[in-house]
Amino acid sequence: VLRYAAMAGMALGCHVHHRSRFDRKNYFYPDLPKAYQISQFYRPLCEGGALTIQTSQGEKRVGITRIHIEEDAGKLLHDDQSGTALDMNRCGVPLIEIVSEPDMRSSEEVIAYLEKLRCMMQYLGVSDCKLQEGSMRADVNLSVREVGSDRMGTRTEMKNLNSFKAITHAIEGERERQIELLE
């Protein structure tokens, strides 16, 4: 995972640090019952960098905040008949997380970013990036602001989205929800 994270960092133009550190992120969630996760928050392996995307509005640069290594959690499976089950098979498996800057302004830009990122990671052999199998997932953070304001509203996070269609639907729905609240 260290090699893959460094390869991803170099491909995205990040600074790959010679020293990084693992941190213990304490929280309880049903898919991580030990109540902490090993992650890199304060000294990640890679920082900086960018990815240039193409949209109907033209070319756009999306900054990369950091690439860090962490352990995966379990997976909650929800079913209307059976309730919720917990799959612990991926607990502790190392993964890389690529955190972008808040540079994207539409679902089109997000999908263009994710599609290009997926192509790069597949080409490098970092991952097969099969969203439906969980080898690539997206956490989308979204906030809106009133016209003319430079202050963003309350940010929400939609976690573990696993298809471009679901990501687009989540962005559009949450954007509308937040706009309605502001209005």
Side-chain angles (χ1 to χ4, degrees):
V1 73
L2 182 63
R3 187 178 325 118
Y4 289 150
M7 286 170 55
M10 286 185 273
L12 293 167
C14 297
H15 174 75
V16 180
H17 296 286
H18 293 279
R19 289 180 178 241
S20 61
R21 171 180 111 183
F22 287 94
D23 303 296
R24 184 170 161 159
K25 197 162 63 172
N26 295 293
Y27 69 97
F28 178 80
Y29 196 70
D31 65 0
L32 196 62
K34 68 181 181 177
Y36 67 90
Q37 178 184 42
I38 302 300
S39 184
Q40 293 184 309
F41 187 77
Y42 297 104
R43 292 188 70 183
L45 183 64
C46 305
E47 290 183 295
L51 183 62
T52 301
I53 59 171
Q54 195 68 38
T55 69
S56 62
Q57 303 298 310
E59 194 173 88
K60 182 168 189 165
R61 181 183 181 278
V62 177
I64 303 296
T65 305
R66 69 179 176 273
I67 299 175
H68 64 266
I69 300 168
E70 65 183 26
E71 65 177 322
D72 208 344
K75 181 179 181 180
L76 293 174
L77 306 164
H78 305 288
D79 183 294
D80 289 339
Q81 282 77 34
S82 308
T84 300
L86 178 56
D87 178 354
M88 301 293 281
N89 286 310
R90 66 184 195 195
C91 275
V93 173
L95 60 82
I96 67 171
E97 185 168 306
I98 300 171
V99 181
S100 66
E101 290 289 319
D103 294 335
M104 293 167 269
R105 298 291 180 261
S106 68
S107 59
E108 179 192 11
E109 290 179 359
V110 172
I111 299 304
Y113 167 79
L114 291 171
E115 285 176 340
K116 188 163 183 184
L117 189 62
R118 178 176 66 174
C119 286
M120 289 178 75
M121 296 306 114
Q122 287 173 325
Y123 179 80
L124 293 170
V126 169
S127 174
D128 62 13
C129 296
K130 293 180 179 174
L131 282 91
Q132 70 280 7
E133 293 179 10
S135 57
M136 181 177 176
R137 302 185 300 263
D139 293 350
V140 176
N141 292 279
L142 189 138
S143 61
V144 299
R145 64 178 169 223
E146 293 186 37
V147 175
S149 174
D150 58 350
R151 193 168 149 248
M152 297 301 287
T154 302
R155 177 177 54 94
T156 60
E157 183 174 32
M158 297 162 279
K159 298 190 66 68
N160 294 318
L161 299 169
N162 66 351
S163 77
F164 293 149
K165 184 178 179 181
I167 293 164
T168 300
H169 182 71
I171 290 169
E172 298 302 325
E174 181 60 16
R175 182 178 60 84
E176 291 301 318
R177 186 190 76 80
Q178 288 189 26
I179 288 170
E180 190 176 301
L181 282 173
L182 284 175
E183 288 175 344

